[in-house]
């Protein structure tokens, strides 16, 4: 699906969708609970969450959904237990790296006789080897170190050594597994741990389900033989990653209030609010509502190590900020749904921005407006949504090729875009 956007300012109020990072974790924990049903409240799930739900169903969990009057979905999750069938379940992860990496260790416990894992898009190319190597050392058998693959055996406990600069999802995946093993385990992280906030989110979810971990710098100790105890009902919190698109659009041209966000969230993407304030946007907040209005913007330096998902849309803001901006510590972006350093730069250049990059950083010279043009989404939801945000400062229409990829994380993105005053046309 290709979409044409007529440039105009965005204004109004929009409710944040649920955090898919938080929702993934709640569903994993709910499926691991012992014979206790959990209710997970999640609003407007994207394709990645649907992939997690389908994988958990394949492992034997029962998940039933019901729409609520608050335009949310209430998921009743009946745990999977342990699968003893000789017929290996197939876990189709779609394009979701979060599903594949975080579910893989837990699935070895739920289905000890084995399972198959498949995926599509760039998922087969995304790194899995560091996690798989550690599971092999503890007794798992793999037919491949990349998707598609087949796995057998539940690993033994012990010490798991993981580099912290590739994917925090490896660590989160092990954290879901280790409490269930008789001997538990220790995760030794080779620093630096990038995206540490996502590990914090996992620890928070485990605590909600009664699981305790001990974290000491780059060493996490998990006692074995623990039980996941359902909290009965759990709410996926508002998503700062998706809210960032509206906040950035407002900083460029307009005024938007995003509701349903938690200033105390473990999501590091909440720092988008501080970054935009530092760049000169007008910012205010009260009772979970965050408002940003356009103002003269100044270039800045942004450390992307803890907020990689924000880089494409913050790059758009930098393209309209006076002076030079540098986004650094961004090397891991090359391993996302697209090579996000390359795709971000290509997107900006297609719209008339002045941008250069190297292996680890993006350098942008800002200008008041962009020319507009045609953008390849690279089948990457964050590139497509960032291009839509860029339209608010373009002199001519923006055409996004393959815009349907937004559904990966934000099914109703263009609906909300239009509600805020945007004008789109499906080509």
């Amino acid at each position: 699906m290709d979409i044409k956007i007529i440039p105009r300012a965005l204004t109004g109020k929009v409710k944040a969708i649920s955090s898919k990072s938080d929702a993934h974790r709640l569903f994993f924990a709910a499926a691991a609970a012992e014979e206790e049903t959990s209710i997970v409240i999640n609003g407007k799930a994207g394709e990645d969450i649907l992939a997690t739900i389908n994988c958990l169903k394949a492992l034997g969990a029962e998940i039933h959904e019901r729409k609520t009057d608050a335009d949310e979905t209430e998921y009743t999750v009946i745990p999977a237990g342990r699968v003893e069938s000789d017929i290996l379940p197939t876990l189709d992860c779609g394009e979701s790296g979060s599903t594949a990496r975080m579910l893989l260790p837990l699935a070895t416990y739920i289905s000890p006789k084995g399972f198959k894992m498949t995926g599509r898009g760039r998922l087969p190319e995304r790194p899995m080897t560091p996690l798989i190597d550690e599971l092999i050392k503890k007794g798992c058998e793999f037919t491949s170190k990349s998707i598609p693959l087949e796995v057998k055996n539940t690993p033994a406990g012990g010490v798991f050594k993981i580099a912290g600069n590739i994917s925090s999802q490896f660590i989160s995946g092990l954290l879901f597994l280790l409490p269930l093993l008789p001997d538990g385990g220790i995760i030794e992280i080779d620093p630096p741990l990038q995206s540490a906030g996502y590990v914090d989110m996992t620890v928070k979810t485990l605590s909600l389900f009664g699981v305790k971990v001990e974290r000491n710098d780059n060493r996490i100790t998990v006692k074995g033989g623990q039980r996941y105890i359902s909290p009965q009902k759990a709410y996926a919190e508002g998503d700062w990653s998706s809210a960032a698109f509206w906040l950035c659009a407002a900083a460029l041209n307009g005024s938007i209030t995003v509701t349903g966000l938690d200033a105390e969230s473990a999501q590091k993407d909440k720092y988008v609010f501080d970054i935009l304030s530092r760049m000169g946007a007008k910012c205010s907040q009260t009772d979970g509502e965050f408002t940003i209005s356009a103002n003269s913007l100044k270039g800045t330096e942004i450390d992307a190590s803890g907020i990689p998902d924000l880089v494409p849309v913050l790059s758009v803001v930098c393209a309209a900020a006076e002076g030079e901006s540098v986004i650094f510590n961004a090397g891991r972006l090359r391993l996302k749904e697209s090579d996000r350093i390359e795709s971000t730069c290509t997107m900006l250049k297609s719209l008339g921005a002045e941008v250069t990059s190297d292996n680890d950083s993006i350098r942008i010279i800002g200008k008041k407006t962009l020319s507009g043009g045609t953008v390849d989404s690279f089948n990457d939801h964050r590139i497509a949504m960032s291009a839509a945000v860029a339209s608010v400062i373009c002199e001519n229409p923006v055409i996004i090729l393959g815009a349907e990829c937004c559904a990966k994380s934000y099914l109703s993105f263009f609906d909300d875009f239009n509600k805020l005053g945007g004008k789109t046309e499906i080509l």
Side-chain angles (χ1 to χ4, degrees), residues 202-218:
T202 302
V203 172
K204 179 182 176 182
T205 300
L206 292 173
S207 177
L208 179 65
F209 280 79
V211 174
K212 297 179 180 180
V213 306
E214 296 178 14
R215 188 171 177 184
N216 184 10
D217 293 329
N218 293 307

Side-chain angles (χ1 to χ4, degrees), residues 13 40 45 49 59 61 72 90 95 105 173 177-178 218 224 242 271 278 291 322 327 336 338 342:
K13 181 178 287 190
V40 176
I49 295 300
L59 284 169
E72 295 173 324
T90 297
E95 298 185 27
L177 166 69
L178 296 183
N218 293 307
S242 299
Y271 292 125
R278 185 174 79 220
T291 301
E322 181 183 351
I327 300 175
K336 296 290 187 177
S338 66
E342 180 67 25

Side-chain angles (χ1 to χ4, degrees), residues 17-161:
I17 64 171
S18 295
S19 164
K20 75 184 183 84
S21 297
D22 196 26
H24 280 303
R25 288 161 171 79
L26 292 176
F27 279 115
F28 295 144
E34 283 193 8
E35 300 178 359
E36 293 180 299
T37 297
S38 301
I39 294 176
V40 176
I41 309 296
N42 185 64
K44 299 180 180 178
E47 291 177 351
D48 282 6
I49 295 300
L50 296 178
T52 282
I53 289 171
N54 290 333
C55 285
L56 293 174
K57 286 181 176 179
L59 284 169
E62 293 184 34
I63 303 177
H64 307 284
E65 62 180 88
R66 181 184 72 85
K67 296 292 183 182
T68 70
D69 294 338
D71 194 28
E72 295 173 324
T73 304
E74 184 177 277
Y75 293 90
T76 299
V77 183
I78 301 174
R82 297 199 81 183
V83 179
E84 298 297 339
S85 172
D86 291 327
I87 301 175
L88 302 186
T90 297
L91 313 185
D92 182 358
C93 299
E95 298 185 27
S96 175
S98 299
T99 303
R101 290 165 171 167
M102 289 197 287
L103 182 57
L104 178 60
L106 179 60
T108 65
Y109 179 85
I110 295 175
S111 186
K113 291 187 178 181
F115 57 90
K116 300 174 183 178
M117 183 171 277
T118 64
R120 58 183 180 274
R122 278 198 91 196
L123 185 55
E125 304 171 33
R126 297 178 69 179
M128 296 280 283
T129 299
L131 175 60
I132 290 173
D133 282 346
E134 290 302 297
L135 293 173
I136 289 174
K137 291 176 184 177
K138 300 300 186 294
C140 288
E141 297 178 7
F142 285 80
T143 58
S144 171
K145 292 187 179 181
S146 61
I147 289 174
L149 53 79
E150 186 175 318
V151 191
K152 291 183 179 179
N153 302 335
T154 301
V159 177
F160 295 77
K161 297 183 178 181

Side-chain angles (χ1 to χ4, degrees), residues 1-2 338 343 347 375-385 387 399-406:
M1 176 181 74
D2 302 336
S338 66
S343 57
M347 177 262 293
V375 172
D376 186 343
S377 71
F378 292 89
N379 195 35
D380 189 326
H381 53 132
R382 300 200 187 278
I383 298 301
M385 291 187 282
I399 295 173
I400 304 173
L401 307 179
E404 71 277 4
C405 62
C406 294

Side-chain angles (χ1 to χ4, degrees), residues 299-365:
T300 190
E301 293 187 351
I302 299 171
D303 183 347
S305 60
I307 52 171
D309 288 342
L310 294 182
V311 168
V313 73
L314 284 176
S315 296
V316 171
V317 177
C318 292
E322 181 183 351
E324 181 180 79
S325 295
V326 179
I327 300 175
F328 59 96
N329 284 336
R332 287 185 307 129
L333 288 168
R334 296 194 181 276
L335 305 174
K336 296 290 187 177
E337 284 85 341
S338 66
D339 176 340
R340 279 196 187 143
I341 289 182
E342 180 67 25
S343 57
T344 294
C345 291
T346 299
M347 177 262 293
L348 289 174
K349 289 176 182 177
S350 297
L351 297 175
E354 186 176 339
V355 55
T356 57
S357 66
D358 57 27
N359 185 60
D360 188 58
S361 64
I362 299 174
R363 191 175 299 270
I364 304 164
I365 305 297

